[in-house]
Amino acid sequence: MIWEALGALIAGFAIALVATRRLPDRFPSRTLTLATGPGAALLGALLTRSILGPGHPVQVMAAALAVGAALLSVLVRPPRSGLGRSAAV
């Protein structure tokens, strides 16, 4: 279980790091993003392990990646565009 949790933390951190590097202007805070990724992945892994039980490491890591990516997508802001500006400004 410790290896699954450590793997989920590393995978969540990797997802968050890639997200902040590819879309740096779409996330509100780099620190928040780098903390949410591993936390969400760990939550997904622990929840999946409690449902499936021991002996399913592939499914636990898949769920950790899915939950980590899903909760990181909640943090994404819409892109800033100049189309909504007023001409008087």
Coordinates of all heavy atoms in Angstrom, one line a residue:
M1 N 0.8 -1.2 0.0 CA 0.0 0.0 0.0 C 0.9 1.3 0.0 O 0.5 2.3 -0.6 CB -0.9 0.0 1.2 CG -1.8 1.2 1.2 SD -3.1 1.1 2.5 CE -3.5 2.8 2.7
I2 N 2.0 1.2 0.7 CA 2.9 2.4 0.7 C 3.4 2.7 -0.7 O 3.5 3.9 -1.1 CB 4.0 2.2 1.7 CG1 3.4 2.2 3.1 CG2 5.1 3.2 1.6 CD1 4.4 1.8 4.2
W3 N 3.7 1.7 -1.4 CA 4.3 1.9 -2.8 C 3.2 2.4 -3.7 O 3.5 3.3 -4.6 CB 4.8 0.6 -3.4 CG 6.1 0.2 -2.6 CD1 6.2 -0.9 -1.8 CD2 7.3 0.8 -2.6 NE1 7.4 -1.0 -1.3 CE2 8.2 0.1 -1.7 CE3 7.8 2.0 -3.2 CZ2 9.5 0.5 -1.5 CZ3 9.1 2.4 -2.9 CH2 9.9 1.6 -2.1
E4 N 2.0 2.0 -3.5 CA 0.9 2.5 -4.3 C 0.6 4.0 -4.0 O 0.4 4.8 -4.9 CB -0.4 1.8 -4.1 CG -0.4 0.4 -4.7 CD -1.6 -0.4 -4.4 OE1 -2.5 0.1 -3.6 OE2 -1.8 -1.5 -4.9
A5 N 0.7 4.4 -2.7 CA 0.5 5.7 -2.3 C 1.6 6.6 -2.8 O 1.4 7.7 -3.3 CB 0.4 5.8 -0.8
L6 N 2.9 6.1 -2.7 CA 4.0 6.9 -3.2 C 3.9 7.0 -4.7 O 4.2 8.1 -5.3 CB 5.3 6.2 -2.8 CG 6.6 6.9 -3.1 CD1 6.6 8.3 -2.4 CD2 7.8 6.1 -2.8
G7 N 3.6 6.0 -5.4 CA 3.4 6.1 -6.9 C 2.3 7.1 -7.3 O 2.5 7.8 -8.2
A8 N 1.2 7.1 -6.5 CA 0.1 8.0 -6.8 C 0.6 9.5 -6.6 O 0.3 10.4 -7.3 CB -1.1 7.7 -5.9
L9 N 1.4 9.7 -5.5 CA 1.9 11.0 -5.2 C 2.8 11.5 -6.4 O 2.7 12.6 -6.8 CB 2.6 11.1 -3.9 CG 1.7 11.0 -2.7 CD1 2.6 10.9 -1.4 CD2 0.9 12.3 -2.6
I10 N 3.7 10.6 -6.8 CA 4.6 11.0 -7.9 C 3.9 11.2 -9.2 O 4.1 12.2 -9.9 CB 5.7 9.9 -8.0 CG1 6.6 9.9 -6.8 CG2 6.5 10.1 -9.3 CD1 7.5 8.7 -6.7
A11 N 2.9 10.4 -9.5 CA 2.1 10.5 -10.7 C 1.3 11.8 -10.7 O 1.2 12.5 -11.7 CB 1.2 9.3 -10.9
G12 N 0.7 12.1 -9.5 CA -0.1 13.4 -9.4 C 0.8 14.6 -9.5 O 0.4 15.6 -10.1
F13 N 2.0 14.5 -9.0 CA 2.9 15.6 -9.1 C 3.4 15.8 -10.5 O 3.5 16.9 -11.0 CB 4.2 15.4 -8.2 CG 5.1 16.6 -8.2 CD1 4.8 17.8 -7.5 CD2 6.3 16.6 -8.8 CE1 5.6 18.9 -7.5 CE2 7.2 17.6 -8.9 CZ 6.8 18.8 -8.2
A14 N 3.6 14.7 -11.2 CA 4.0 14.8 -12.7 C 2.9 15.4 -13.5 O 3.1 16.2 -14.4 CB 4.3 13.4 -13.2
I15 N 1.6 15.0 -13.2 CA 0.5 15.6 -14.0 C 0.4 17.1 -13.7 O 0.2 17.9 -14.7 CB -0.8 14.9 -13.5 CG1 -0.9 13.5 -14.0 CG2 -2.0 15.7 -14.1 CD1 -2.1 12.7 -13.5
A16 N 0.6 17.5 -12.5 CA 0.5 18.9 -12.1 C 1.6 19.7 -12.8 O 1.4 20.8 -13.2 CB 0.5 19.1 -10.6
L17 N 2.8 19.1 -12.8 CA 4.0 19.8 -13.3 C 3.8 19.9 -14.8 O 4.1 21.0 -15.4 CB 5.2 19.0 -13.0 CG 6.6 19.7 -13.3 CD1 6.7 20.9 -12.4 CD2 7.7 18.7 -12.9
V18 N 3.3 18.9 -15.5 CA 3.1 19.0 -17.0 C 2.0 20.1 -17.2 O 2.1 20.9 -18.2 CB 2.7 17.6 -17.5 CG1 2.2 17.8 -19.0 CG2 3.9 16.7 -17.5
A19 N 1.0 20.1 -16.4 CA -0.1 21.0 -16.6 C 0.4 22.5 -16.5 O 0.0 23.3 -17.2 CB -1.3 20.7 -15.7
T20 N 1.2 22.7 -15.5 CA 1.7 24.1 -15.2 C 2.7 24.5 -16.3 O 2.8 25.7 -16.6 CB 2.3 24.3 -13.9 OG1 3.3 23.3 -13.7 CG2 1.2 24.1 -12.8
R21 N 3.4 23.6 -16.9 CA 4.3 23.9 -17.9 C 3.6 24.1 -19.3 O 4.1 25.0 -20.1 CB 5.4 22.9 -18.1 CG 6.4 22.8 -16.9 CD 7.5 22.0 -17.2 NE 8.4 21.8 -16.1 CZ 9.4 22.6 -15.8 NH1 9.8 23.6 -16.6 NH2 10.2 22.4 -14.7
R22 N 2.6 23.4 -19.6 CA 1.9 23.5 -20.9 C 0.9 24.6 -20.9 O 0.7 25.3 -21.9 CB 1.2 22.2 -21.2 CG 2.3 21.1 -21.6 CD 1.6 19.9 -22.2 NE 0.6 20.2 -23.2 CZ 0.8 20.0 -24.5 NH1 1.9 19.5 -24.9 NH2 -0.2 20.2 -25.3
L23 N 0.3 24.9 -19.7 CA -0.8 26.0 -19.7 C -0.5 26.9 -18.5 O -1.3 26.9 -17.5 CB -2.1 25.3 -19.6 CG -2.6 24.4 -20.7 CD1 -3.8 23.6 -20.3 CD2 -2.8 25.2 -21.9
P24 N 0.6 27.6 -18.4 CA 0.9 28.4 -17.2 C -0.1 29.5 -16.9 O -0.3 29.8 -15.8 CB 2.3 28.9 -17.5 CG 2.4 28.9 -19.0 CD 1.6 27.8 -19.5
D25 N -0.7 30.1 -18.0 CA -1.6 31.2 -17.7 C -3.0 30.8 -17.4 O -3.8 31.6 -17.1 CB -1.6 32.1 -19.0 CG -1.9 31.4 -20.2 OD1 -1.7 30.2 -20.3 OD2 -2.4 32.0 -21.2
R26 N -3.3 29.5 -17.5 CA -4.7 29.0 -17.3 C -4.9 28.6 -15.8 O -6.0 28.3 -15.5 CB -5.0 27.8 -18.2 CG -4.8 28.1 -19.7 CD -6.0 28.8 -20.3 NE -7.2 28.2 -20.1 CZ -7.8 27.3 -21.0 NH1 -7.1 27.0 -22.1 NH2 -8.9 26.8 -20.8
F27 N -3.8 28.4 -15.0 CA -4.0 28.0 -13.7 C -3.8 29.2 -12.7 O -3.0 30.0 -12.9 CB -3.0 26.9 -13.3 CG -3.3 25.6 -13.9 CD1 -2.7 25.2 -15.1 CD2 -4.2 24.8 -13.4 CE1 -3.0 24.0 -15.7 CE2 -4.6 23.5 -13.9 CZ -4.0 23.2 -15.1
P28 N -4.6 29.3 -11.7 CA -4.6 30.5 -10.8 C -3.2 30.6 -10.0 O -2.8 31.7 -9.8 CB -5.7 30.2 -9.8 CG -6.0 28.8 -9.9 CD -5.6 28.3 -11.2
S29 N -2.7 29.5 -9.6 CA -1.5 29.6 -8.8 C -0.7 28.3 -9.0 O -1.2 27.2 -9.0 CB -1.8 29.7 -7.3 OG -0.7 29.5 -6.5
R30 N 0.6 28.4 -9.3 CA 1.5 27.3 -9.5 C 1.5 26.4 -8.3 O 1.5 25.2 -8.3 CB 2.8 27.7 -10.0 CG 3.8 26.6 -10.3 CD 5.1 27.1 -10.8 NE 6.1 26.1 -10.8 CZ 6.4 25.4 -11.9 NH1 5.7 25.5 -13.0 NH2 7.3 24.4 -11.8
T31 N 1.6 27.1 -7.1 CA 1.7 26.3 -5.8 C 0.4 25.5 -5.6 O 0.5 24.4 -5.2 CB 2.0 27.3 -4.7 OG1 3.1 28.1 -5.0 CG2 2.2 26.6 -3.4
L32 N -0.7 26.1 -5.8 CA -2.0 25.4 -5.6 C -2.1 24.3 -6.6 O -2.5 23.2 -6.2 CB -3.1 26.4 -5.9 CG -4.5 25.8 -5.8 CD1 -4.8 25.4 -4.4 CD2 -5.5 26.8 -6.3
T33 N -1.7 24.4 -7.8 CA -1.7 23.3 -8.8 C -0.8 22.2 -8.4 O -1.2 21.0 -8.5 CB -1.4 23.9 -10.2 OG1 -2.2 25.0 -10.5 CG2 -1.5 22.8 -11.2
L34 N 0.4 22.5 -8.0 CA 1.4 21.5 -7.6 C 1.0 20.8 -6.3 O 1.4 19.7 -6.0 CB 2.8 22.1 -7.5 CG 3.4 22.5 -8.8 CD1 4.8 23.2 -8.6 CD2 3.5 21.4 -9.8
A35 N 0.1 21.4 -5.5 CA -0.4 20.7 -4.3 C -1.6 19.9 -4.6 O -1.8 18.9 -4.0 CB -0.6 21.7 -3.2
T36 N -2.4 20.4 -5.5 CA -3.7 19.7 -5.8 C -3.5 18.4 -6.6 O -4.1 17.4 -6.3 CB -4.6 20.6 -6.7 OG1 -4.9 21.8 -5.9 CG2 -5.9 19.9 -7.0
G37 N -2.5 18.4 -7.5 CA -2.2 17.2 -8.3 C -1.9 15.9 -7.4 O -2.6 14.9 -7.5
P38 N -0.9 16.0 -6.6 CA -0.6 14.8 -5.7 C -1.7 14.5 -4.7 O -2.0 13.3 -4.5 CB 0.7 15.2 -5.0 CG 1.3 16.3 -5.8 CD 0.1 17.0 -6.5
G39 N -2.3 15.5 -4.2 CA -3.4 15.3 -3.2 C -4.6 14.6 -3.9 O -5.2 13.6 -3.3
A40 N -5.0 15.0 -5.1 CA -6.1 14.4 -5.8 C -5.7 13.0 -6.2 O -6.6 12.1 -6.1 CB -6.4 15.2 -7.0
A41 N -4.5 12.8 -6.7 CA -4.1 11.4 -7.1 C -4.1 10.5 -5.9 O -4.5 9.3 -6.0 CB -2.7 11.5 -7.7
L42 N -3.6 10.9 -4.7 CA -3.6 10.1 -3.5 C -5.0 9.8 -3.1 O -5.3 8.6 -2.7 CB -2.8 10.8 -2.4 CG -2.7 10.0 -1.1 CD1 -1.9 8.8 -1.3 CD2 -2.0 10.9 -0.1
L43 N -5.9 10.7 -3.2 CA -7.3 10.5 -2.8 C -7.9 9.4 -3.8 O -8.6 8.5 -3.3 CB -8.1 11.8 -2.9 CG -9.6 11.7 -2.7 CD1 -9.9 11.3 -1.3 CD2 -10.3 12.9 -3.2
G44 N -7.6 9.6 -5.1 CA -8.1 8.6 -6.0 C -7.6 7.2 -5.8 O -8.3 6.2 -5.9
A45 N -6.3 7.1 -5.4 CA -5.7 5.8 -5.2 C -6.2 5.2 -3.9 O -6.6 4.0 -3.9 CB -4.2 6.0 -5.1
L46 N -6.4 5.9 -2.9 CA -6.9 5.4 -1.6 C -8.3 5.0 -1.7 O -8.7 4.0 -1.2 CB -6.7 6.4 -0.5 CG -5.2 6.7 -0.1 CD1 -5.1 7.7 1.0 CD2 -4.5 5.4 0.3
L47 N -9.1 5.8 -2.4 CA -10.5 5.4 -2.6 C -10.7 4.1 -3.4 O -11.5 3.3 -3.1 CB -11.2 6.6 -3.3 CG -12.7 6.4 -3.5 CD1 -13.4 6.4 -2.1 CD2 -13.3 7.6 -4.3
T48 N -9.9 4.0 -4.5 CA -10.0 2.8 -5.3 C -9.5 1.6 -4.6 O -10.1 0.5 -4.7 CB -9.1 3.0 -6.6 OG1 -9.5 4.2 -7.3 CG2 -9.2 1.9 -7.6
R49 N -8.4 1.8 -3.8 CA -7.9 0.6 -3.0 C -8.9 0.2 -2.0 O -9.1 -1.0 -1.7 CB -6.6 0.9 -2.4 CG -6.0 -0.2 -1.6 CD -4.6 0.0 -1.1 NE -4.2 -1.0 -0.2 CZ -3.6 -2.1 -0.5 NH1 -3.4 -2.4 -1.7 NH2 -3.3 -2.9 0.5
S50 N -9.6 1.1 -1.4 CA -10.6 0.7 -0.4 C -11.8 0.0 -1.0 O -12.5 -0.8 -0.4 CB -11.1 1.9 0.4 OG -11.8 2.8 -0.4
I51 N -12.1 0.4 -2.3 CA -13.2 -0.3 -3.0 C -12.8 -1.7 -3.5 O -13.5 -2.7 -3.3 CB -13.7 0.6 -4.1 CG1 -14.4 1.8 -3.6 CG2 -14.7 -0.2 -5.0 CD1 -14.7 2.9 -4.6
L52 N -11.7 -1.7 -4.2 CA -11.3 -3.0 -4.8 C -10.5 -3.9 -3.9 O -10.5 -5.1 -4.1 CB -10.4 -2.7 -6.0 CG -11.0 -1.9 -7.2 CD1 -9.9 -1.7 -8.3 CD2 -12.2 -2.7 -7.7
G53 N -9.8 -3.4 -2.9 CA -9.0 -4.2 -2.0 C -7.6 -4.3 -2.6 O -7.3 -3.8 -3.6
P54 N -6.8 -5.1 -1.8 CA -5.4 -5.2 -2.3 C -5.3 -6.2 -3.5 O -6.2 -7.0 -3.8 CB -4.7 -5.9 -1.1 CG -5.8 -6.5 -0.3 CD -7.0 -5.7 -0.6
G55 N -4.2 -6.0 -4.3 CA -4.0 -6.9 -5.4 C -4.4 -6.3 -6.7 O -4.5 -7.0 -7.7
H56 N -4.7 -5.0 -6.8 CA -5.1 -4.4 -8.0 C -4.3 -3.1 -8.3 O -4.8 -2.0 -8.4 CB -6.6 -4.0 -8.0 CG -7.5 -5.2 -7.8 ND1 -7.8 -6.0 -8.8 CD2 -8.1 -5.6 -6.7 CE1 -8.6 -7.0 -8.3 NE2 -8.8 -6.7 -7.0
P57 N -3.0 -3.2 -8.4 CA -2.1 -2.0 -8.5 C -2.4 -1.2 -9.8 O -2.3 0.0 -9.8 CB -0.7 -2.5 -8.4 CG -0.8 -3.9 -8.8 CD -2.1 -4.4 -8.4
V58 N -2.6 -1.9 -10.9 CA -2.8 -1.2 -12.2 C -4.1 -0.4 -12.1 O -4.1 0.8 -12.5 CB -2.9 -2.2 -13.3 CG1 -3.2 -1.5 -14.6 CG2 -1.6 -3.0 -13.4
Q59 N -5.2 -0.9 -11.6 CA -6.4 -0.2 -11.5 C -6.3 1.0 -10.5 O -6.9 2.0 -10.7 CB -7.6 -1.1 -11.1 CG -7.9 -2.2 -12.1 CD -7.1 -3.4 -12.1 OE1 -6.1 -3.5 -11.4 NE2 -7.5 -4.4 -12.9
V60 N -5.6 0.8 -9.4 CA -5.4 1.8 -8.5 C -4.6 3.0 -9.1 O -5.0 4.2 -8.9 CB -4.7 1.3 -7.2 CG1 -4.2 2.4 -6.3 CG2 -5.6 0.4 -6.4
M61 N -3.6 2.7 -9.8 CA -2.8 3.8 -10.5 C -3.6 4.5 -11.6 O -3.5 5.7 -11.8 CB -1.5 3.3 -11.0 CG -0.5 2.9 -10.0 SD -0.2 4.3 -8.8 CE 0.6 5.4 -9.9
A62 N -4.4 3.7 -12.3 CA -5.3 4.3 -13.3 C -6.3 5.3 -12.7 O -6.5 6.4 -13.2 CB -6.0 3.2 -14.1
A63 N -6.9 4.9 -11.6 CA -7.8 5.7 -10.9 C -7.1 6.9 -10.3 O -7.7 8.0 -10.3 CB -8.6 4.9 -9.8
A64 N -5.9 6.8 -9.8 CA -5.2 7.9 -9.3 C -4.9 8.9 -10.4 O -5.1 10.1 -10.1 CB -3.9 7.4 -8.7
L65 N -4.5 8.5 -11.5 CA -4.3 9.4 -12.6 C -5.6 10.1 -13.1 O -5.6 11.3 -13.4 CB -3.6 8.7 -13.8 CG -2.2 8.2 -13.6 CD1 -1.8 7.3 -14.7 CD2 -1.3 9.4 -13.5
A66 N -6.6 9.3 -13.2 CA -7.9 9.9 -13.6 C -8.4 10.9 -12.6 O -8.9 12.0 -13.0 CB -8.9 8.8 -13.8
V67 N -8.4 10.6 -11.3 CA -8.9 11.6 -10.3 C -8.0 12.8 -10.3 O -8.5 13.9 -10.1 CB -9.1 10.9 -8.9 CG1 -9.4 11.9 -7.9 CG2 -10.1 9.8 -9.0
G68 N -6.7 12.6 -10.4 CA -5.8 13.7 -10.3 C -6.0 14.7 -11.5 O -6.0 15.9 -11.3
A69 N -6.2 14.1 -12.7 CA -6.4 15.0 -13.9 C -7.8 15.6 -13.8 O -7.9 16.8 -14.1 CB -6.4 14.1 -15.1
A70 N -8.8 14.9 -13.2 CA -10.1 15.5 -13.1 C -10.2 16.7 -12.2 O -10.7 17.7 -12.4 CB -11.1 14.4 -12.7
L71 N -9.5 16.5 -11.0 CA -9.5 17.6 -10.0 C -8.6 18.8 -10.5 O -8.9 19.9 -10.1 CB -9.1 17.1 -8.7 CG -10.2 16.3 -8.0 CD1 -9.8 15.8 -6.6 CD2 -11.5 17.1 -7.9
L72 N -7.6 18.5 -11.2 CA -6.8 19.6 -11.8 C -7.6 20.4 -12.8 O -7.4 21.6 -12.9 CB -5.5 19.1 -12.4 CG -4.3 18.8 -11.4 CD1 -3.2 18.2 -12.2 CD2 -3.9 20.1 -10.7
S73 N -8.4 19.7 -13.5 CA -9.2 20.4 -14.5 C -10.2 21.4 -13.9 O -10.7 22.3 -14.6 CB -10.0 19.4 -15.4 OG -11.0 18.8 -14.7
V74 N -10.6 21.2 -12.6 CA -11.4 22.1 -11.9 C -10.7 23.5 -11.7 O -11.4 24.5 -11.7 CB -11.9 21.5 -10.6 CG1 -12.7 22.5 -9.8 CG2 -12.7 20.3 -10.8
L75 N -9.4 23.4 -11.6 CA -8.7 24.7 -11.4 C -8.5 25.5 -12.7 O -8.1 26.7 -12.6 CB -7.3 24.4 -10.8 CG -7.2 23.7 -9.4 CD1 -5.8 23.4 -9.1 CD2 -7.9 24.6 -8.4
V76 N -8.7 25.0 -13.8 CA -8.4 25.7 -15.1 C -9.3 26.8 -15.3 O -10.6 26.7 -15.2 CB -8.4 24.7 -16.3 CG1 -8.2 25.4 -17.6 CG2 -7.4 23.6 -16.1
R77 N -8.8 28.0 -15.6 CA -9.6 29.2 -15.9 C -9.7 29.3 -17.4 O -8.9 28.8 -18.1 CB -8.9 30.4 -15.4 CG -8.8 30.5 -13.9 CD -8.2 31.8 -13.4 NE -6.8 31.8 -13.9 CZ -5.9 32.7 -13.4 NH1 -6.3 33.6 -12.5 NH2 -4.7 32.7 -13.9
P78 N -10.8 30.0 -17.8 CA -10.9 30.2 -19.3 C -9.7 31.1 -19.8 O -9.2 31.9 -19.0 CB -12.2 30.9 -19.4 CG -12.7 31.3 -18.1 CD -11.9 30.5 -17.1
P79 N -9.4 31.0 -21.0 CA -8.3 31.9 -21.6 C -8.7 33.3 -21.6 O -9.8 33.7 -21.8 CB -8.0 31.4 -23.0 CG -9.3 30.7 -23.3 CD -9.9 30.2 -22.1
R80 N -7.7 34.2 -21.3 CA -7.9 35.6 -21.4 C -7.9 36.0 -22.8 O -6.9 35.8 -23.5 CB -6.9 36.3 -20.6 CG -6.9 36.0 -19.1 CD -5.9 36.8 -18.4 NE -5.8 36.4 -17.0 CZ -4.9 36.8 -16.2 NH1 -4.0 37.6 -16.6 NH2 -4.9 36.4 -14.9
S81 N -8.9 36.7 -23.3 CA -8.9 37.2 -24.6 C -9.3 38.7 -24.6 O -10.0 39.2 -23.7 CB -9.9 36.5 -25.5 OG -11.2 36.7 -25.0
G82 N -8.8 39.4 -25.6 CA -9.1 40.8 -25.6 C -10.4 41.2 -26.2 O -10.7 42.4 -26.4
L83 N -11.2 40.2 -26.6 CA -12.5 40.5 -27.2 C -13.5 41.1 -26.3 O -14.4 41.8 -26.7 CB -13.0 39.2 -27.8 CG -12.2 38.5 -28.9 CD1 -12.8 37.2 -29.4 CD2 -12.0 39.5 -30.1
G84 N -13.4 40.8 -25.0 CA -14.4 41.3 -24.1 C -14.2 42.7 -23.5 O -14.9 43.2 -22.7
R85 N -13.1 43.3 -24.0 CA -12.8 44.7 -23.5 C -13.6 45.7 -24.1 O -14.1 45.6 -25.3 CB -11.3 45.0 -23.8 CG -10.4 44.2 -23.0 CD -9.0 44.7 -23.3 NE -8.0 44.1 -22.4 CZ -6.7 44.3 -22.5 NH1 -6.3 45.0 -23.5 NH2 -5.9 43.7 -21.7
S86 N -13.7 46.8 -23.4 CA -14.5 48.0 -23.8 C -13.6 48.8 -24.7 O -12.4 48.9 -24.4 CB -15.0 48.8 -22.7 OG -15.6 50.0 -23.1
A87 N -14.1 49.5 -25.7 CA -13.3 50.3 -26.5 C -12.9 51.6 -25.8 O -12.0 52.3 -26.3 CB -14.1 50.7 -27.8
A88 N -13.6 52.0 -24.8 CA -13.4 53.3 -24.1 C -12.1 53.2 -23.1 O -11.6 54.2 -22.7 CB -14.6 53.7 -23.3
V89 N -11.7 52.0 -22.9 CA -10.6 51.8 -21.9 C -9.3 52.0 -22.5 O -8.8 52.1 -23.5 CB -10.6 50.4 -21.3 CG1 -9.5 50.2 -20.4 CG2 -11.9 50.2 -20.5

